[in-house]
């Protein structure tokens, strides 16, 4: 169990640019989640995958956000035309498929939009 | 809707006890508790499922009152390592795929 890894750890970008983050879940975990966390707040759900299928997406999620999980392994989260309000920590988590399985979080990607 | 955590912050001396509450306006299937230290990922503490169970983990335990849609996290004889922000995450049904809605967090500081 090498844990959930995310890349990059930090990203600074200019408003209007596109960014892409990567998440590698724990290998035997079927479920993968993306959360966003701003300073002093709890993680906010963005989307989740079961294997390669994206099963749920937050209604609050802008169309500028897209996520993929090809082949049910790693996942990418892309933000197009970034805005200053997108600045946050983007957390990836994975879990087994059972309903009472804990989420294992990665260390996150901190995005700063200037 | 986001669960409400109370208190928002608490300062303890080493060895003191604390209770953190998590309340939801929706019927709950499960409650997860996580602790996050500054600059680190949230770390899982425990899950409580519908049924009003109580769980324990060393000196940290939790209860789940299904009727009140509340969970409480009990920290006894606190240690310096307990410092961090505690989040509850709630799920309203067992088909929700562990899509958790997190509370705003409770910041705990344990002083020597």
């Amino acid at each position: 169990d090498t844990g959930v890894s995310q890349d990059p750890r930090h990203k600074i970008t200019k408003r209007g640019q596109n960014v892409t983050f990567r998440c590698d879940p724990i290998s035997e975990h079927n479920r993968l989640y993306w959360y966003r966390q701003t300073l002093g707040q709890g993680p906010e759900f963005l989307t989740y995958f079961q294997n390669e299928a994206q099963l749920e997406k937050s209604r609050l999620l802008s169309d500028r956000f897209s996520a993929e999980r090809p082949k049910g392994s790693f996942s990418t989260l892309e933000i197009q035309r970034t805005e200053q309000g997108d600045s946050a920590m983007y957390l990836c988590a994975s879990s087994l498929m059972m309903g009472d399985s804990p989420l294992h979080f990665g260390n996150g990607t901190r995005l700063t939009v200037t | 809707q986001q669960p409400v955590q109370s208190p928002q912050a608490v300062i303890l001396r080493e060895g003191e006890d604390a209770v953190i509450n998590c309340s939801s306006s929706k019927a709950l299937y499960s409650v997860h508790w996580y602790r996050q230290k500054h600059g680190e990922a949230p770390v899982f503490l425990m899950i409580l499922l519908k049924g009003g169970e109580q769980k324990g983990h060393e000196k940290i335990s939790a209860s789940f009152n299904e009727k009140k849609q509340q969970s409480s996290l009990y920290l006894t004889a606190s240690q310096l390592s307990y410092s961090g922000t505690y989040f509850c995450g709630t799920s309203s049904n067992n088909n929700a795929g562990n899509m958790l809605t997190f509370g705003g967090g409770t910041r705990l500081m344990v002083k020597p």
Side-chain angles (χ1 to χ4, degrees), chain A residues 40-108:
Chain A
Q41 299 297 316
E44 175 193 13
F45 171 77
L46 295 179
T47 188
Y48 107 92
F49 292 83
Q50 185 163 294
N51 300 313
E52 66 275 9
Q54 188 174 17
L55 296 188
E56 194 72 31
K57 189 174 174 181
S58 170
R59 286 172 290 175
L60 302 175
L61 201 59
S62 161
D63 289 344
R64 298 183 294 105
F65 287 69
S66 62
E68 295 183 340
R69 192 182 181 196
K71 303 178 184 177
S73 55
F74 72 92
S75 175
T76 57
L77 177 69
E78 181 184 17
I79 308 174
Q80 297 182 326
R81 304 181 303 281
T82 52
E83 301 172 357
Q84 287 189 320
D86 296 332
S87 295
M89 176 72 83
Y90 289 84
L91 294 167
C92 175
S94 67
S95 78
L96 294 170
M97 210 180 304
M98 294 175 293
D100 58 350
S101 296
L103 271 59
H104 296 258
F105 283 89
N107 284 323

Side-chain angles (χ1 to χ4, degrees), chain A residues 9 31 33 35 37 39-45 48 56 89 91 95-96 98-107, chain B residues 2 29-30 32 34 36 39-44 47 49 87 94-105 107:
Chain A
R9 289 296 306 274
R31 289 182 172 163
Y33 312 79
Y35 282 84
Q37 187 176 30
L39 197 63
Q41 299 297 316
E44 175 193 13
F45 171 77
Y48 107 92
E56 194 72 31
M89 176 72 83
L91 294 167
S95 78
L96 294 170
M98 294 175 293
D100 58 350
S101 296
L103 271 59
H104 296 258
F105 283 89
N107 284 323
Chain B
Q2 187 180 37
Y29 170 73
S30 68
H32 294 221
Y34 293 80
Q36 185 176 32
E40 299 181 9
V43 172
F44 170 74
I47 292 175
L49 299 179
F87 293 102
N94 65 351
N95 293 321
N98 277 345
M99 292 180 298
L100 301 178
T101 303
F102 284 92
R107 287 152 196 78

